[in-house]
């Protein structure tokens, strides 16, 4: 792969998506301002002999879903810079297919309030996040 190829993959977001277990949006409900996304929890994201995902990856999946919710809610005109994120962890997240649901709670001219719920490969609610972010033009 050339540097130009890598630069193109970075600009398109493909490199980041792949590094996050092929994180991808699976649905958007404009009425509820709710976004659904999926990803693969790889063993290399896990500690304890490859059985429990490191909390930073969980936070990244929650954060990415909330950002994509803003992008969809603004018809791809804006994204969001996270100013604060609070994450609560309830269940372990091990290798397999995970999913996340994010919601735009309130979006003003400069600030957005967001929430997200992450479900482990067993389908259990494993983590929740709330976030305050500064809106930015794409």
């Amino acid at each position: 792969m050339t540097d130009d190829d890598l630069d193109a993959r970075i600009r398109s977001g493909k490199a980041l998506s792949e590094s996050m277990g092929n994180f991808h949006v699976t649905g958007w409900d404009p009425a509820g301002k709710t976004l659904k996304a999926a990803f693969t929890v790889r063993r290399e994201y896990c500690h304890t002999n490859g059985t429990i995902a490191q909390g930073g990856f969980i936070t990244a999946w929650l954060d990415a879903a909330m950002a994509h919710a803003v992008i969809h809610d603004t018809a791809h005109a804006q994204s969001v810079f996270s100013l604060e994120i609070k994450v609560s962890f309830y269940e372990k997240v091990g290798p397999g297919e995970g999913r996340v649901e994010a919601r735009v709670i309130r979006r003003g001219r400069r600030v957005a309030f967001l929430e997200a719920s992450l479900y482990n490969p067993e389908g259990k609610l494993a983590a929740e996040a709330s976030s305050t972010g500064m809106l930015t033009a794409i």
Side-chain angles (χ1 to χ4, degrees), residues 111-130:
V111 175
F113 298 92
L114 311 162
E115 291 180 346
S117 301
L118 184 139
Y119 299 86
N120 65 17
E122 292 76 36
K124 293 181 180 177
L125 176 62
E128 290 183 302
S130 61

Side-chain angles (χ1 to χ4, degrees), residues 1-136:
M1 178 182 313
T2 69
D3 286 344
D4 289 341
D5 292 338
L6 178 58
D7 286 344
R9 292 181 68 243
I10 289 170
R11 279 193 304 280
S12 72
K14 187 172 184 176
L16 179 59
S17 170
E18 289 172 358
S19 69
M20 292 177 61
N22 293 317
F23 179 93
H24 61 283
V25 173
T26 59
W28 168 245
D29 171 18
K33 297 183 181 229
T34 303
L35 178 127
K36 293 182 180 183
F39 52 90
T40 301
V41 181
R42 297 179 186 153
R43 286 192 64 214
E44 59 264 32
Y45 301 160
C46 300
H47 58 79
T48 314
N49 297 318
T51 62
I52 300 173
Q54 197 275 340
F57 285 99
I58 293 168
T59 302
W61 291 314
L62 290 159
D63 185 42
M66 291 184 287
H68 279 277
V70 168
I71 292 167
H72 280 73
D73 191 43
T74 64
H76 297 263
Q78 292 182 308
S79 187
V80 64
F81 295 132
S82 299
L83 297 173
E84 174 269 338
I85 299 175
K86 177 187 182 288
V87 179
S88 298
F89 300 94
Y90 307 129
E91 295 280 342
K92 82 173 199 158
V93 177
E97 299 306 309
R99 65 184 176 89
V100 63
E101 295 180 7
R103 295 163 294 288
V104 176
I105 303 303
R106 181 178 169 101
R107 182 172 52 85
R109 287 187 308 123
R110 297 190 58 184
V111 175
F113 298 92
L114 311 162
E115 291 180 346
S117 301
L118 184 139
Y119 299 86
N120 65 17
E122 292 76 36
K124 293 181 180 177
L125 176 62
E128 290 183 302
S130 61
S131 178
T132 303
M134 183 185 309
L135 297 167
T136 183

